[in-house]
Amino acid sequence: MTPEPTAHALLTIFQEEIGSDRIGPDDDFYAVGGDSLIAVRVVTRATEQGMPLRLIDLLMNPTVDELVDHLRAAATVGADPQEAAAAPAYPGDSLVEPEDRAALPAGALDALPASALQTGLIFQCEMAEDPSLYHDLIGLRVTAPYEEDLFRSALRELMDRHPALRSSFDLGSYSESLQVFWGDVAEPLESERVGTAAEADAAVSAWRDKQLSTTLDWEQAPLFRCHVAAGPGDTFRVTVAMHHAIMDGWSFATVVVDLLTLYDAHLSGTDHGLPEPPAAAAAEFVRLERAAVDSPEAAAFWRAQCDAPPLVDRDRYGRSANASGRRATALPAGLFADLRAQAAEARVPLKSLLLAVHCWALGRMAGRTTDVVTGVVVNGRPELPDADRVVGLFLNTVPLRLPSLSGTWAELARTLRETETAAAPHQRYPLALIEENAGRRSFDVAFNFTDFHVYRRVSELTALSADGWWDRDKASHPMSCDFTLDYPGFGSGLLLSFDPHLVTEEQVEKYEALTIDGLRAAARDVHAAGTEPHDG
């Protein structure tokens, strides 16, 4: 039988990882602030303390009381705790064919089969012939002396920590497409001195435009770049560009924060204190993705989720939309605090409540009250210690279907929570294969919710500070809706990108107004039904 201290240990882990000592044993982990990345840390800590949990266990049993009951039930039926808790490391040697490994060129330290997520993105970019597609940039202003030698050393350490930053792809020389990890890759740093702030802005703009118009060579590492415009005084502008095929948005944030942390340590002469990311994470993800691909249940699940009429005229675009339009709506932090409180009242995650409002607004925008399908970004990181610190592509986007828009916000959110829970075992099934099986696009509008708590580490640095954040990305969906918390340079709110030829400005404005109305209504009373369409 599970010892009594288990409940106390689990509750302590919940409280410490979420950052609140007000969490009780019957509070839903996701409803009180937990998310998929925090869940990885909870599962890791529980496993290290002898409690054999998996992410699916936490998803299905989101309170301490339920987890304790689950552990007791598992022990009663004789489950092997060590076997249940084990997350086996699968080195590249076990995944790459021996003939392929023997043929790797000099200088290659390792290789892995490229994941289906990666090859799908690369294929989309090749077909679109748009060098800016999935070519993402983040820029900021740093207040600190710029010492190029120290900054270059920090960049070198960053590349040593994260093999993805030393990788390229070979899509045709081997029995399958490979991601190749190299040893000796020069730091991709371009640095220039400027005399005024205006010259710094001009230098950043020119470098950004150059990156977005340059077609990447997949076979040449690295697939990321860094630019510094230094001056005047103790300030400099940093811009990092990368292709989405080597890292997702959370990984990109980790790269930027790690770079600042390493440079801060060089300036202050202190230890950076960054834990080493688990080396087996990339290989483990490939193994898990392959298991999902081989699952008939996963294929059937996603076929049912996307079996609904489209929301836009799909005949009007080809393989990739040109989502060049952007709108940003900042929302007060108090609104999100009220939404989180209402989500906790309904015992659903904040994400599920936001997703309910999103689907409701999307249906109203399209004039539909049933069968609203939206793409939802899901996290597929392996369950390994410090997996949230690994840089790579682990985010998939999958279709989720809301059968009806009738009901209260709480009811809509619970329905979507149940669907996400049912989808969890299949979430690594790649989008490209979902759409190949369906013979068409599986959704037209994508939804994402991210609490960018990784950026809070920047405020803890002592030798530098950062502000003036900006970013640029471009996905292939006709419309993407990103709900953010604490995003640098923006804060909390709604970021929209869209293809003006497929989703009109009028439609976007209507969706935006409906979403704001819905958020405010849900923040007032989660047990009320959806509001009427916005008139303004």
Side-chain angles (χ1 to χ4, degrees):
M1 179 176 290
T2 304
E4 284 305 316
T6 296
H8 175 73
L10 281 171
L11 185 58
T12 299
I13 293 172
F14 272 34
Q15 293 173 340
E16 291 178 352
E17 293 298 337
I18 294 177
S20 171
D21 58 5
R22 301 180 65 180
I23 297 171
D26 62 345
D27 283 327
D28 186 303
F29 168 80
Y30 296 97
V32 294
D35 59 30
S36 59
L37 289 164
I38 297 174
V40 170
R41 299 202 297 268
V42 167
V43 168
T44 296
R45 287 184 58 182
T47 300
E48 290 172 344
Q49 295 182 32
M51 295 172 279
L53 294 181
R54 302 166 299 161
L55 284 174
I56 190 65
D57 298 329
L58 181 54
L59 185 64
M60 301 293 291
N61 307 277
T63 72
V64 167
D65 286 344
E66 290 172 334
L67 280 174
V68 169
D69 289 343
H70 170 76
L71 289 170
R72 286 173 175 161
T76 299
V77 299
D80 183 346
Q82 297 304 316
E83 181 180 348
Y90 284 79
D93 284 342
S94 67
L95 293 170
V96 176
E97 293 295 330
E99 296 81 3
D100 289 341
R101 181 165 292 282
L104 290 174
L109 296 183
D110 199 3
L112 284 172
S115 71
L117 287 181
Q118 291 172 321
T119 55
L121 279 180
I122 293 172
F123 176 76
Q124 279 196 352
C125 293
E126 289 291 301
M127 295 301 295
E129 298 182 345
D130 178 0
S132 68
L133 185 63
Y134 290 111
H135 198 163
D136 300 347
L137 294 94
I138 292 178
L140 62 147
R141 180 177 60 191
V142 177
T143 300
Y146 178 62
E147 300 184 30
E148 183 172 341
D149 290 345
L150 295 183
F151 192 86
R152 191 174 292 276
S153 295
L155 191 59
R156 177 74 258 166
E157 288 182 62
L158 181 77
M159 296 172 70
D160 289 342
R161 282 178 55 81
H162 300 298
L165 301 180
R166 295 178 277 106
S167 71
S168 62
F169 295 94
D170 192 308
L171 307 177
S173 302
Y174 302 95
S175 63
E176 60 184 331
S177 297
L178 295 182
Q179 184 176 14
V180 182
F181 302 93
W182 301 89
D184 186 15
V185 177
E187 305 89 45
L189 175 63
E190 296 181 48
S191 181
E192 54 186 303
R193 294 280 179 177
V194 296
T196 66
E199 290 174 353
D201 290 340
V204 170
S205 296
W207 191 83
R208 178 197 62 209
D209 293 344
K210 176 184 175 182
Q211 298 306 307
L212 293 176
S213 61
T214 300
T215 300
L216 292 174
D217 182 349
W218 307 111
E219 296 188 359
Q220 294 296 318
L223 295 174
F224 89 106
R225 303 285 187 273
C226 185
H227 174 262
V228 171
D234 284 343
T235 64
F236 58 96
R237 311 292 176 90
V238 178
T239 308
V240 181
M242 66 90 184
H243 196 274
H244 204 40
I246 63 168
M247 68 181 93
D248 52 40
W250 180 267
S251 296
F252 200 4
T254 298
V255 163
V256 174
V257 173
D258 280 5
L259 176 59
L260 294 176
T261 302
L262 292 166
Y263 185 59
D264 182 85
H266 279 291
L267 288 176
S268 60
T270 59
D271 181 74
H272 56 71
L274 294 172
E276 285 297 316
E284 175 67 357
F285 176 80
V286 172
R287 184 192 73 83
L288 292 168
E289 185 189 64
R290 288 183 166 187
V293 167
D294 290 339
S295 168
E297 294 81 9
F301 180 88
W302 295 122
R303 195 158 43 242
Q305 285 299 306
C306 63
D307 185 20
L311 294 172
V312 303
D313 183 359
R314 291 190 176 124
D315 292 334
R316 294 168 57 194
Y317 71 100
R319 295 182 182 275
S320 296
N322 183 16
S324 58
R326 287 174 70 100
R327 292 177 68 93
T329 302
L331 296 171
L335 176 60
F336 280 95
D338 291 342
L339 286 165
R340 193 182 292 282
Q342 290 290 335
E345 167 70 20
R347 300 185 66 82
V348 296
L350 174 59
K351 176 186 175 182
S352 297
L353 185 54
L354 296 175
L355 183 54
V357 173
H358 162 76
C359 288
W360 174 85
L362 196 58
R364 294 282 190 173
M365 181 194 81
R368 183 179 302 172
T369 58
T370 60
D371 284 332
V372 173
V373 176
T374 187
V376 177
V377 177
V378 293
N379 175 26
R381 285 174 184 263
E383 299 173 37
L384 297 173
D386 291 317
D388 59 314
R389 295 183 178 271
V390 178
V391 168
L393 178 58
F394 304 110
L395 295 183
N396 193 15
T397 307
V398 296
L400 289 186
R401 181 178 185 175
L402 183 61
S404 172
L405 296 181
S406 63
T408 65
W409 298 117
E411 289 168 342
L412 295 179
R414 290 188 192 113
T415 297
L416 289 162
R417 168 75 180 288
E418 291 168 1
T419 303
E420 283 199 274
T421 301
H426 315 304
Q427 64 187 11
R428 295 185 180 93
Y429 196 85
L431 175 61
L433 194 53
I434 293 173
E435 298 190 333
E436 180 181 324
N437 293 341
R440 55 173 172 77
R441 295 263 177 177
S442 58
F443 57 85
D444 306 301
V445 179
F447 165 93
N448 188 26
F449 168 60
T450 309
D451 181 350
F452 286 97
H453 43 77
V454 62
Y455 283 112
R456 295 169 198 157
R457 289 165 36 200
V458 176
S459 64
E460 301 170 2
L461 302 179
T462 58
L464 63 82
S465 61
D467 61 9
W469 295 82
W470 61 270
D471 72 288
R472 193 273 178 204
D473 61 5
K474 186 178 183 182
S476 60
H477 314 305
M479 181 173 168
S480 296
C481 310
D482 289 283
F483 293 79
T484 70
L485 285 178
D486 295 337
Y487 193 50
F490 176 64
S492 301
L494 175 62
L495 299 171
L496 300 174
S497 59
F498 59 97
D499 185 336
H501 297 290
L502 302 172
V503 184
T504 66
E505 288 274 1
E506 182 181 4
Q507 287 176 306
V508 174
E509 289 174 2
K510 183 176 182 180
Y511 166 83
E512 183 181 51
L514 285 164
T515 299
I516 294 172
D517 283 352
L519 293 174
R520 289 172 175 162
R524 289 193 301 269
D525 185 1
V526 74
H527 298 295
T531 62
E532 289 303 310
H534 185 85
D535 295 327

